[in-house]
Every structure is written in C-alpha cells, then in structure tokens.
Amino acid sequence: MGEWRTDPTFAMCRALTDGADLYSFVGGPFDARAVVAAIPPKVKDGFLLDEVPWENFPQGDHVREAIHVLHTSGSPVGGTGVVSGMCANDMRAAAVLAVPFLIRIATDPGHPYRADALAEVSSPARARYFGVASRGEQLLHRAEPRYDDLYGDYGVDVTGYPAGWAVAAARGAITADATLLRPLLHDPDPAIRIRAAYALAAATDLDRAVRAAFRTRLDAEQDPIVHAALVFATAEATRTHPHPPTTVWMRERWRDRTQVPEARLAAAIGWLCLTDEPAPDGLCAAVDDFATDERARAMDDLPWMAAAGGSSETGLQRCVREMLHPEQPNPTEHDVPWTPRS
C-alpha cells in the first residue's frame, strides 16, 4: 500500500480527510468521470496510451502497462487480471481508464485474449455486489453520486477515493462504446456473448438499441446459458431504467413452458427483483423444480450467479434460498470468498 501514497490523487484524498469540500474537485484532473469522458476517440482507437493521465490515479502506471502488454504482445501474462484484481482490492480509479481500451481489444476478432479483455470491462462498473442475492439488492446499481451527495452509496475505496465516481466513470465508458459492444451479442463464442450482455447491462443510458439488441439476440439464441444471460441482462438494465412492459414480459417469460429451464429461472429471479409483489405459488414450484444441483453449477458460468455464490452454495442456490425460502438457515454464515466450494 506504500506506492499509492506518492500518487497525485492521494493529495486530494488527504485533503478530503482533512475536511476539504469534494465539490472543489468535481470535473478536475482527479475526477475519473471527467477524465474518462474526455479521452478523444482517436486516442482510444489508436491506443495512444501516453495521452491518458494514468499517473493521476493510484497505480495508474501499473494499469497502463497491463493494457500495453495485452494490446501489443497478445499475451495474457501481466495483461489480464490487473483491472479485476484492483477492483477486488477496492481500487477502481485507475482501472476505469482501461475500460475503453479493453473494449477495443475485445472487439478485435483476431486477438487471442479478447474474451479475457471483455471479462475485465465490467469489473470497475460494479461494486459491493459479491454475495448479494436478495430481492432488494440483486441486479441493483446503486445511485450515481448526486451533487448534493457526492459519495453516493459507495463511500470511499481503500485509498480514500470516492468509489462512486469510479463506478460512474466505468459505466459512462461502457455507455459511450455501446455501439462497439452490441455486435458482440452475436459473436460465435458463447463466452463473448455472455460477457457482452453483462457489460451492456451496466450502461448508464439504456437506449432502445440496447434493449432491442437483447430481444433480437434472444429470438436467435440456442445456447440455454447464454439465453439466461440475456434475460438477466434485460432484468438488470430494467432495474436501472424502469420499463413496466419489460417487467410484464419478464413475468410471462418465467411462466412460458416453451422456454428452456435456464431462461425461466433467470426470468423468475429477474421478475422478483423488479417487483415487490409476493412470489406466486407457480413461480416457487417452477424454480424449485428447475434449480437442480447440476443446473445451478452450470449457471455459475453467468457472472451474475458467480458473484452471488459462495464456497458452500452456488449463486442460483443462494438466490433461491434468500428470495423464496428465507426461513432456511444460511450455510455460508462464516463463508470465506476464496475457499473452494464443497
């Protein structure tokens, strides 16, 4: 933790600790939202990394080097895992600067590690969601900090940086490049399709094109796990951008016996997160019937479910228990995140 104390942003964080007004830093060189939004298209498209102020944020040079290695050498060694690792350590400010470049690596059909790059895109855009499986918080993006509450629901990261600023910056970067991500919903690789849906679900502005892209791919999708990913993405986006017709559609989706079980499970969870209505008996029966151990393990390929699970139960199992059977004991009360699932 010694290195970040020499970064310029530490002066801002120290000033905030000493009582400085956060308003004075809005839009400045340490506001990740403003910095990411100001990166010109030619810099992003040309990978002109030296024109990005990485040094303004904790461990920025480390992130820049990782993107350089991944882009130029085509090697995952030292390239992938850096962004998600920093996010896991609750340090997102520099990681968000990598998002536009990771998107461009992911959209390069000739890059051997494009799926790894795409998996990194979403990490800075989500925070405090591991182990979350309740109706009240699953698929929920906490509010972007308002000017009258600049820290928002995310507080500060381990360096003292406003975590909500970093999350908002990452979501803004995804939104700005949504036109690059949408075609990936039709990629031949199922992993790419899943991760593209996961990234697009974090967009700050869900335009009709994104909503239509989810529906269009759903009509053509044959892989049951990817089908479930598209349903989850639709539900997450709708939770951020309420759309009553989609909530109704989600209810009809879990009821539809022509849908694959994975899609009906995703729709059931999605509907539960989009409404306060009591779970009907038919939903409970369908979920209990479909949520087999084998299917629960398979659905952990979905990032929504992987994040919700623990060492003693899969994400699907935890969602079912917390949303539909709250009377059941929590088998992961003393769960350790890095412990292998039994």
Side-chain angles (χ1 to χ4, degrees):
M1 289 300 295
E3 294 182 5
W4 67 268
R5 294 181 180 274
T6 64
D7 288 299
T9 310
F10 179 60
M12 181 189 84
C13 298
R14 183 170 52 192
L16 293 173
T17 301
D18 292 340
D21 189 347
L22 186 56
Y23 283 99
S24 63
F25 296 99
V26 170
F30 305 130
D31 186 341
R33 301 168 301 178
V35 173
V36 171
I39 300 176
K42 67 176 183 180
V43 171
K44 295 188 284 188
D45 295 338
F47 281 81
L48 305 179
L49 301 180
D50 289 340
E51 297 189 26
V52 178
W54 306 93
E55 68 280 359
N56 281 14
F57 301 95
Q59 296 194 15
D61 290 341
H62 183 45
V63 179
R64 180 210 174 280
E65 180 61 21
I67 296 301
H68 172 72
V69 168
L70 185 61
H71 176 239
T72 59
S73 71
S75 170
V77 179
T80 61
V82 171
V83 169
S84 58
M86 289 184 65
C87 293
N89 289 331
D90 199 22
M91 296 176 64
R92 288 177 171 75
V96 302
L97 301 183
V99 171
F101 302 104
L102 289 168
I103 289 174
R104 282 156 178 79
I105 293 172
T107 57
D108 178 359
H111 200 287
Y113 300 104
R114 54 196 296 259
D116 300 272
L118 185 54
E120 299 278 282
V121 166
S122 299
S123 295
R126 292 174 170 85
R128 300 185 181 179
Y129 67 107
F130 282 104
V132 172
S134 66
R135 290 182 70 172
E137 293 189 285
Q138 176 69 285
L139 307 180
L140 175 67
H141 287 294
R142 291 168 174 80
E144 179 179 346
R146 304 186 305 272
Y147 283 93
D148 58 346
D149 182 22
L150 289 172
Y151 289 99
D153 294 328
Y154 292 103
V156 297
D157 67 20
V158 296
T159 70
Y161 189 82
W165 282 13
V167 173
R171 294 181 64 198
I174 289 171
T175 303
D177 285 327
T179 55
L180 298 179
L181 289 167
R182 286 203 303 268
L184 299 183
L185 294 174
H186 306 280
D187 194 272
D189 185 346
I192 293 285
R193 300 200 297 275
I194 289 172
R195 291 166 182 175
Y198 193 54
L200 283 166
T204 55
D205 296 312
L206 184 68
D207 59 22
R208 292 182 179 179
V210 171
R211 196 187 301 277
F214 289 155
R215 294 289 189 91
T216 299
R217 185 61 220 175
L218 270 168
D219 291 339
E221 186 57 61
Q222 299 298 310
D223 187 305
I225 300 298
V226 182
H227 199 119
L230 292 162
V231 174
F232 274 129
T234 301
E236 180 179 351
T238 303
R239 183 151 203 182
T240 305
H241 314 281
H243 186 246
T246 299
T247 302
V248 173
W249 174 87
M250 200 70 61
R251 181 191 63 201
E252 298 306 315
R253 202 79 175 181
W254 70 255
R255 288 176 171 174
D256 188 350
R257 296 178 181 274
T258 67
Q259 299 297 315
V260 294
E262 291 81 0
R264 294 183 68 185
L265 284 167
I269 292 172
W271 182 82
L272 287 168
C273 293
L274 293 175
T275 179
D276 293 328
E277 295 180 31
D281 292 340
L283 182 147
C284 296
V287 169
D288 287 342
D289 185 39
F290 292 140
T292 63
D293 290 346
E294 181 180 3
R295 188 167 286 123
R297 287 191 294 270
M299 290 184 69
D300 257 4
D301 285 343
L302 300 170
W304 295 271
M305 295 295 94
S311 62
S312 299
E313 59 184 350
T314 67
L316 177 62
Q317 289 167 340
R318 179 172 286 181
C319 286
V320 172
R321 177 176 56 79
E322 292 200 11
M323 294 184 187
L324 298 178
H325 304 291
E327 74 285 355
Q328 293 181 359
N330 180 2
T332 58
E333 183 177 357
H334 304 291
D335 194 26
V336 178
W338 51 84
T339 301
R341 184 176 297 125
S342 55

